[in-house]
Amino acid sequence: MEYLTTDEVMLKAKEAEGKTFKEIDSYNRLSNKNSKGGFGQVIEESLFGYKINSDARPDFEHLNLELKVTPFKQNKNKTFSAKERLVLNIINYMEEVKYTFETSSFWKKNQNLLLMFYEWIPGIEREDLKVFKSILFTFPEADLEIIKQDWHTIVNKIKAGKAHELSEGDTNYLGACSKGSNKNSLREQPNSPLRAMQRAFSLKQSYMTALVRKYLHSDQLVSFTSANELKKKSLEEILADRFAPYKGLTPTEMAARLNVNSNPKAKSFIPQIISSLLGIKGTKLDGIEEFSKANIQFKTIRLKPNGVPKESMSFKNIDFNAWATESWEESELRQTFYDTKFLFVVFQYKETEKENPNREVYFKGIKLWNMPVNTIETKMKQLWQEVNTILQNGVVIQEKPYGKSSRTHNNFPKKDFNGVSHIRPKAQNSNDKITLPDGQMITKQCYWLNDTYIASLLKDLY
């Protein structure tokens, strides 16, 4: 059947809403349990009556419309989120560098999307999952400016012969995700003898979650910038401009200038200052559109007078049972640093605690940072492998004398392990424990980035 208008396509898509894939699948394609990507094929073939193809052109070419079937899930707190990133088209490293954004393979294929959302429910057979809602999606003007910047970031890295170093942390909304069954899925790249992992353009999981919450849950995110501003400056430059007038001020002085009335000792004090500084009073940082869509996590850093952080940087508590059973490629540790950008909001003391017990910190600057691929695949992988070896051989937990009492020690990697990361406790108290794979109990632990490593990242603050 030929669909002459997007309205006709949408009417057909709406027919699927509320139906299971089994009800739609007239060719029994889903009966093959080993088949991957089956949902999109079922919709194309059984709903729209199109033959399956891997054409570089949009699915509804004459309407310049690409079909994508994508899952969302309900979280424990009843909110919705995307289950995964939205994979778009394969990047041909040798060809993509020849184009402008407007003539690129990404833009030609994906400028208009028919998004058909289905709810993923654990334990439910895939043919029993239901199509929830279909939307016709075109990129909002401000989003498109950020996506253009992202496309240029990806293409410039390919031009520089660094396709093998691409990471989703490099960009904000548009990613270059790995696409291939294994490490042998390699492709030729320009200006380098090295072959690079096959990758595809993708909309990040965080970006898709924002769409899910907007279109399926009617959540409203608040933006701190505009399309006009983004046409002139990058997101990073805009953030730098917003923070610049407050350099040298204490948090209390910043709060007074921004009319933030909050207890300076409260955990929410700095986040409130940041949201107010961005012109978004009373909004949590994860409610800021650009932060939410780009998966930008903020971290406050307090530097000593010598430029080294007051402490190392902590992350999530570790689930050692998951750690011991996941592969490195699927590990939470690896995904965190591949997928996340960090906004470091940096303050510094001018005096030592000995010189002034009542000293205050002063705002020094910000840095938008993502961990380089090389660091992830060497130093962080080393940490992951070492912890895995210890879990397999058994964790050694000992009580050692400490003054008039004692302290519990273990043999997880310490700060001197590789100069970047280590494992140490992060718990409410010594009784806040978890069970290790070998059955032993241990105080809750997390992975940390070393204070000296963080210091090395902050030499060029805005």
Side-chain angles (χ1 to χ4, degrees), residues 362-375:
Y362 297 83
F363 176 56
K364 185 174 176 66
I366 64 165
K367 185 178 182 71
L368 199 58
W369 174 82
N370 60 284
M371 185 177 281
V373 170
N374 184 53
T375 306

Side-chain angles (χ1 to χ4, degrees), residues 91 93 96-97 147-160 162-163 166-168 170-171 174-177 199-202:
I91 304 171
Y93 300 132
E96 197 73 11
V97 295
I147 284 169
K148 284 179 183 176
Q149 293 170 11
D150 290 341
W151 182 86
H152 283 291
T153 296
I154 292 166
V155 169
N156 287 340
K157 206 161 189 176
I158 297 169
K159 284 180 179 176
K162 295 182 178 180
L166 283 169
S167 164
E168 290 195 69
D170 293 336
T171 50
L174 181 69
C177 70
R199 290 184 176 270
F201 288 115
S202 63

Side-chain angles (χ1 to χ4, degrees), residues 256-288:
R257 187 177 289 190
L258 293 161
N259 295 316
V260 172
N261 298 311
S262 180
N263 180 357
K265 294 183 179 179
K267 277 190 174 181
S268 62
F269 186 56
I270 299 297
Q272 279 188 297
I273 287 175
I274 294 171
S275 58
S276 296
L277 180 151
L278 295 173
I280 308 170
K281 285 185 184 292
T283 300
K284 290 182 179 179
L285 293 180
D286 61 5
I288 296 174

Side-chain angles (χ1 to χ4, degrees), residues 30-44:
L30 295 179
S31 62
N32 179 2
K33 302 296 182 185
N34 297 320
S35 170
K36 288 191 174 182
F39 292 142
Q41 294 174 345
V42 168
I43 296 296
E44 276 186 56

Side-chain angles (χ1 to χ4, degrees), residues 166-188:
L166 283 169
S167 164
E168 290 195 69
D170 293 336
T171 50
N172 295 303
Y173 297 172
L174 181 69
C177 70
S178 57
K179 179 71 172 168
S181 56
N182 54 52
K183 290 182 178 178
N184 295 321
S185 303
L186 300 174
R187 295 182 75 118
E188 186 182 2

